[in-house]
Amino acid sequence: MDPRITRRTGLTATALAAAGAVGLPAAAHAQGDPAPHKEHPTMDSARSAPSWSQGKPHRHPWDRRGSGETLREARPNAVGLDGEVLEQLPGIIRAGLDNDPPRFSGASLLVASQAGIAYEHADGYALRWQDASTELPEVQRIPARTDTIYDLASISKIFTATAVMQHVEQGLLGLDDLVADHLPRFVENGKGEVTVQHLLTHVGGLPAFINLYSAFPDVPSRLDAVLTVVPNDPPGTRYVYSDLGLITLGLIIEKLSGQGLDEYVREHITQPLGMSETMYNPPAELKGRIAATEYVDYYGYLVHGHVHDENAYSLGGVAGHAGVFSTARDLAVFGQMFLGGGRYGEARILEAATVQEMYTDRIADVTGVGGARRGLGPELEAWFYHAGLTSPYSGTHTGFTGTSLVIDPLTDTIVILLTNSVHPTREWSTTSVTRREVSTCVARALALVPKEVAGGWHAGSADATTATLSLAVQLAAERAADPTRDPAGEHAERSPELRVELFAHLETAYDILTLEASTDQGEAWLPLHGLLDAKHEEPVEVPDGQITGWGRRAGWDGTFALTGAGGEPLSGEAQIRLRLDTDGSTRGLGAWVGRIRVVQGGKDLLDTDRPGDREQVVADGWALGS
């Protein structure tokens, strides 16, 4: 028998014996931690999403040729953060703790930027509950601290992905290698065309989850069940977040390295990085610093000190999809390694080109506009927890237990929120609300909203709302053409335009800012076609008057022709409005509108820089100067 499987069997038997359990619960299982389910965006909103391509001459944000900077403590203002804004973070954490039911029992938070740890905070309890309904006496509780050790759950997948890419760099593994060439049992049930890259990006066609812990009697049979699982889809055709793919990749690493995955990760990743408090299967003496997770009736005890994920536990606590425990500071080192182009101090974990490959989306053609984005392991552009920090380049991952690691390469910022949201029950787990609020607070501390519009109108801070910014203006009637003048020039001179200073950071294809006009008292609204311009940016066309997406974090000058469906200039009394619709969950920074002008014939019919004109703007759901 494979010595690594023998070792796993020993780990599992020891863990189960120590727990006094003979089996595992049939109902309790952690099915990963994908983004909340959403219906696909409407075809109209998907088609009209502007192209926010990177533009020239910008360098790719993950082209990291850094110096391998190591983390240090720093004052917020020394690393580009507004310390006063960051002081809102404790209140955000406390709101999660005070929610009914609590979103988590305890939390440890770390914010670093430009290699400076600018903010750390902890609140709540690493251990608070005796069972699913009984709180421990105060003297028996363990407060959460900034050095509390948390079960990272699916953040473990990024450690596995890093190990995979190390083998790719060494030529021992190829992204296009067939998985079955390394693990022959995998070929069963029609999986012969599945590649390593398919599994890294969750398009391998595998189911999201199968029960390993109670459906199979031992480790060899559980691993065999993973390898021989029946796929749901042909590879490369559908994105399904799957633990099974990462378990399989972990087995490839073990086969190629001749080491258990935990041994490999320790020797080649955490130990070189000095991450001494990152490990699988933490020793019993650390239990007092470890955040407890769930009370499981079948076990008859609270999970505290071993991995929460049942499948990982049944595999000896070591698996490609879960099992890693760490602290916020250790995890920050891991994040900084990526920002350093694979290097941290003298430790080279990955080549810079490999990091860029890992953080470059591979599945947009599969998922479409508004769909999930995945690099080679990292989750990208994840509005549901990157929130105000979301861009096409933001990564990395969440964990089912209530953990998250967000890296923003555009500002060299790391945000880590570690919680035990399944303590005492996964039924209470709603961590993403707090994750979003934390990320957005950090984005505001980074002053991502340009000063030019920050004092203007703002909307988009609430879900499932419609906010309108409206004004009325009298447009001149079209004059008869003057034969002595150039027709094109005369037409342009008399055609009215809406000119707007704006900033938009809206969940792609789900939160939509629409610019529109009406000449029949609002009975019918015409979308306004326009163009956005900004310094050092390529222009962006706005089809059908709709703006959505990350907006390149730029302040834009928008010019929108006030014309009818046939291109004829509007005339007479016209209502103009900017309508922001948000969906039921997830959002970015929202939309900000500065100066608004209506120009015709070289004259400003309305200009909100004039106090009297500003008062003519009717804001419903928009706040001025917020």
Side-chain angles (χ1 to χ4, degrees), residues 131-155:
D131 56 39
S133 59
T134 309
E135 291 186 90
L136 289 165
E138 185 70 37
V139 293
Q140 294 181 30
R141 300 181 192 180
I142 300 175
R145 309 186 320 196
T146 55
D147 66 347
T148 294
I149 299 170
Y150 289 83
D151 177 347
L152 297 184
S154 285
I155 294 177

Side-chain angles (χ1 to χ4, degrees), residues 364-375:
D365 289 343
V366 175
T367 57
V369 174
R373 297 289 182 263
R374 283 273 171 178

Side-chain angles (χ1 to χ4, degrees), residues 83-433:
E84 289 187 11
V85 175
L86 292 182
E87 287 302 327
Q88 298 171 17
L89 290 170
I92 292 171
I93 301 300
R94 176 43 56 182
L97 291 165
D98 291 342
N99 194 64
D100 185 16
R103 294 174 184 156
F104 38 82
S105 175
S108 300
L109 169 69
L110 182 147
V111 179
S113 192
Q114 299 174 37
I117 297 174
Y119 202 88
E120 288 182 282
H121 177 72
D123 199 356
Y125 294 96
L127 174 66
R128 176 177 176 178
W129 297 86
Q130 177 179 311
D131 56 39
S133 59
T134 309
E135 291 186 90
L136 289 165
E138 185 70 37
V139 293
Q140 294 181 30
R141 300 181 192 180
I142 300 175
R145 309 186 320 196
T146 55
D147 66 347
T148 294
I149 299 170
Y150 289 83
D151 177 347
L152 297 184
S154 285
I155 294 177
S156 306
K157 292 178 171 70
I158 305 302
F159 288 86
T160 304
T162 300
V164 167
M165 297 310 294
Q166 288 180 330
H167 281 75
V168 170
E169 286 184 348
Q170 295 164 27
L172 301 173
L173 187 62
L175 293 175
D176 294 327
D177 283 4
L178 300 178
V179 175
D181 286 347
H182 296 279
L183 300 170
R185 287 283 281 162
F186 191 83
V187 78
E188 293 198 19
N189 293 313
K191 301 193 299 299
E193 298 304 311
V194 177
T195 67
V196 169
Q197 178 166 312
H198 285 144
L199 298 188
L200 280 172
T201 56
H202 298 272
V203 294
L206 305 185
F209 170 89
I210 59 173
N211 175 358
L212 301 176
Y213 48 86
S214 64
F216 301 93
D218 52 31
V219 171
S221 62
R222 291 167 189 146
L223 295 178
D224 194 61
V226 171
L227 295 177
T228 60
V229 69
V230 178
N232 290 337
D233 304 283
T237 62
R238 184 167 170 247
Y239 171 79
V240 175
Y241 177 81
S242 175
D243 286 349
L244 305 181
L246 271 294
I247 294 173
T248 302
L249 290 171
L251 295 177
I252 291 177
I253 295 304
E254 293 190 335
K255 182 174 181 179
L256 293 176
S257 69
Q259 296 177 285
L261 182 62
D262 55 338
E263 297 170 322
Y264 181 87
V265 168
R266 180 176 63 250
E267 182 177 332
H268 297 276
I269 301 174
T270 61
Q271 196 171 65
L273 290 172
M275 297 170 63
S276 60
E277 299 198 300
T278 302
M279 67 205 80
Y280 299 80
N281 289 319
E285 57 264 27
L286 289 177
K287 186 175 180 179
R289 285 182 53 207
I290 295 173
T293 53
E294 188 167 23
Y295 183 86
V296 180
D297 287 331
Y298 191 93
Y299 293 169
Y301 68 86
L302 185 80
V303 177
H304 186 196
H306 72 70
V307 64
H308 172 260
D309 182 276
E310 290 87 353
N311 278 350
Y313 185 52
S314 76
L315 295 173
V318 180
H321 72 298
V324 177
F325 287 70
S326 190
T327 63
R329 282 231 173 186
D330 257 23
L331 197 56
V333 170
F334 191 52
Q336 186 61 38
M337 177 272 293
F338 288 119
L339 286 178
R343 182 180 163 199
Y344 185 84
E346 297 304 313
R348 169 66 71 182
I349 304 302
L350 294 167
E351 296 299 322
T354 301
V355 172
Q356 184 172 341
E357 288 293 303
M358 289 182 72
Y359 284 86
T360 298
D361 175 66
R362 304 300 180 103
I363 65 169
D365 289 343
V366 175
T367 57
V369 174
R373 297 289 182 263
R374 283 273 171 178
L376 299 172
E379 185 171 40
L380 306 174
E381 197 173 350
W383 292 90
F384 82 99
Y385 70 102
H386 297 179
L389 291 173
T390 307
S391 78
Y393 316 104
S394 58
T396 308
H397 222 281
T398 61
F400 184 81
T401 50
T403 59
S404 58
L405 166 62
V406 179
I407 305 176
D408 174 31
L410 294 166
T411 58
D412 280 7
T413 298
I414 298 167
V415 180
I416 294 168
L417 179 62
L418 303 182
T419 77
N420 51 348
S421 65
V422 296
H423 180 55
T425 170
R426 71 190 67 191
E427 299 302 320
W428 293 359
S429 180
T430 55
T431 326
S432 286
V433 175

